[in-house]
Amino acid sequence: MKFTPEQHIELHGFNNLTKSLSFNMYDICYTRTKEEREAYIEYIDEQYSAERLTKILTHVSDIIGAHVLNVAKQDYVPQGASVTILVSEGPVVEVPDEAYDESPGPLPDNVVLQLDKSHITVHTYPEFHPDEGISTFRADIDVSTCGEITPLKALNYLIHSFETDVMTIDYRVRGFTRDKEGNKLFIDHDISSIQNYIPENVKDQFDMVDINVYQENIFHTKCKLREFDLDHYLFGYTKESLSPEEREEITERIQAEMEEIVSGVTLHSGTIFEEEDEEEETEKEK
């Protein structure tokens, strides 16, 4: 069944479809020493504390028109934070036409849309490689709604809320609702790609790949930052302070990390770099 932005479907009772958005972002940094790693983790914990994450999720609830029922938040030791917000239906309003449109959602504003029985969560995972100087920060955000609005309308704001080098985005519509004649509807809006909910200026910055199972209403998009500037991945110094050999080695390690995150496969074992270092030392001795 095709839907237009102007079309309102008459349902038998409440819209029982569950629409779930999972947004996973990764920030990657090269930290040479233990002190740099600790400073990076401290910076991340400050930038993405439970208090700030709560503000971000509250804006998400505003975008999808939810009433916040309960907030549970926690900063962890040694690092990381979590926030869970339970939300319920917003004020009684007419659903805007753009609720059905495949287009980027708004940034924080007074936007009210219909939903009920929903939750929004975020968990952060700062970590570092014990040997190779790679530190990463991952944030997992889940927005699950019931009702007419898709949580994809919050994706634009979420992307703008985090500094990200790699993104993986999942969207799934589960269950079914019924029209007034009793026919099952397994989705209530057209969608061909998650990318249609991402602004053009953001898409220009990333290489993107879709993996979709249309018959199951499952959509998946992987995104990797297109342009590589080594300064973006150094913490507390610039590439000008490095030798050409150091720049090449660090670039190789960071790009390998990004490829592994995108592919979900370990492509470069830690021993590869260690063996290369040993070979270089042997050559120098000769």
Side-chain angles (χ1 to χ4, degrees), residues 21-68:
L21 168 69
S22 293
F23 170 66
N24 309 99
M25 61 74 58
Y26 298 82
D27 178 77
I28 301 164
C29 184
Y30 184 81
T31 48
R32 292 179 293 187
T33 66
K34 178 182 177 182
E35 289 73 21
E36 287 181 7
R37 289 195 291 268
E38 291 175 347
Y40 174 75
I41 297 297
E42 183 178 350
Y43 165 79
I44 289 296
D45 277 345
E46 181 179 344
Q47 283 291 104
Y48 299 104
S49 65
E51 181 177 357
R52 182 173 179 227
L53 293 172
T54 300
K55 292 179 181 178
I56 291 174
L57 296 196
T58 301
H59 281 312
V60 170
S61 68
D62 290 340
I63 289 172
I64 61 177
H67 283 318
V68 175

Side-chain angles (χ1 to χ4, degrees), residues 1-283:
M1 181 181 292
K2 292 289 185 180
F3 304 102
T4 66
E6 295 77 21
Q7 183 179 6
H8 290 263
I9 308 165
E10 290 192 63
L11 300 179
H12 172 70
F14 181 73
N15 189 329
N16 291 315
L17 292 170
T18 297
K19 304 165 187 175
S20 299
L21 168 69
S22 293
F23 170 66
N24 309 99
M25 61 74 58
Y26 298 82
D27 178 77
I28 301 164
C29 184
Y30 184 81
T31 48
R32 292 179 293 187
T33 66
K34 178 182 177 182
E35 289 73 21
E36 287 181 7
R37 289 195 291 268
E38 291 175 347
Y40 174 75
I41 297 297
E42 183 178 350
Y43 165 79
I44 289 296
D45 277 345
E46 181 179 344
Q47 283 291 104
Y48 299 104
S49 65
E51 181 177 357
R52 182 173 179 227
L53 293 172
T54 300
K55 292 179 181 178
I56 291 174
L57 296 196
T58 301
H59 281 312
V60 170
S61 68
D62 290 340
I63 289 172
I64 61 177
H67 283 318
V68 175
L69 297 177
N70 184 59
V71 177
K73 58 183 178 180
Q74 183 65 53
D75 289 303
Y76 297 109
V77 176
Q79 66 251 1
S82 294
V83 178
T84 299
I85 297 182
L86 295 180
V87 295
S88 67
E89 186 178 8
V92 177
V93 295
E94 183 177 344
V95 179
D97 292 341
E98 61 269 20
Y100 292 97
D101 190 22
E102 268 191 286
S103 62
L107 296 176
D109 201 350
N110 293 325
V111 180
V112 181
L113 303 166
Q114 278 187 327
L115 75 162
D116 202 352
K117 301 182 182 69
S118 307
H119 66 269
I120 310 168
T121 65
V122 59
H123 306 284
T124 68
Y125 304 89
E127 64 92 43
F128 56 86
H129 192 288
D131 301 315
E132 291 185 23
I134 297 291
S135 295
T136 61
F137 165 62
R138 179 177 114 239
D140 296 346
I141 300 98
D142 292 288
V143 184
S144 183
T145 69
C146 294
E148 296 183 47
I149 180 62
T150 167
L152 282 167
K153 289 297 184 179
L155 182 57
N156 183 22
Y157 169 66
L158 287 172
I159 292 173
H160 282 82
S161 298
F162 296 87
E163 296 179 9
T164 179
D165 300 307
V166 175
M167 299 184 292
T168 59
I169 308 164
D170 295 281
Y171 178 65
R172 181 171 186 179
V173 181
R174 294 176 293 171
F176 64 85
T177 192
R178 293 183 186 272
D179 63 20
K180 297 202 76 171
E181 285 70 44
N183 300 309
K184 294 185 181 70
L185 299 175
F186 292 92
I187 192 167
D188 62 354
H189 65 96
D190 284 332
I191 173 173
S192 58
S193 172
I194 291 172
Q195 294 188 38
N196 294 332
Y197 292 84
I198 301 175
E200 291 298 326
N201 65 321
V202 175
K203 288 194 283 189
D204 289 342
Q205 301 173 37
F206 290 86
D207 290 319
M208 297 186 173
V209 177
D210 282 353
I211 304 172
N212 300 325
V213 186
Y214 294 103
Q215 65 270 27
E216 298 293 337
N217 295 321
I218 298 174
F219 304 86
H220 178 72
T221 299
K222 296 181 178 182
C223 316
K224 185 179 74 169
L225 204 61
R226 183 168 293 164
E227 295 186 5
F228 186 90
D229 182 353
L230 184 56
D231 281 339
H232 175 75
Y233 300 93
L234 302 176
F235 189 72
Y237 57 97
T238 67
K239 60 188 176 186
E240 300 303 322
S241 62
L242 302 172
S243 68
E245 293 77 14
E246 288 175 319
R247 293 181 199 175
E248 182 179 355
E249 178 187 355
I250 294 171
T251 296
E252 180 182 353
R253 295 184 178 186
I254 293 171
Q255 290 181 335
E257 182 79 3
M258 294 174 69
E259 286 296 330
E260 290 184 347
I261 291 172
V262 170
S263 67
V265 177
T266 299
L267 304 173
H268 306 271
S269 66
T271 56
I272 291 177
F273 294 115
E274 292 169 6
E275 289 170 359
E276 289 176 352
D277 293 341
E278 290 175 2
E279 289 174 2
E280 290 177 3
E281 289 298 324
T282 303
E283 289 298 321

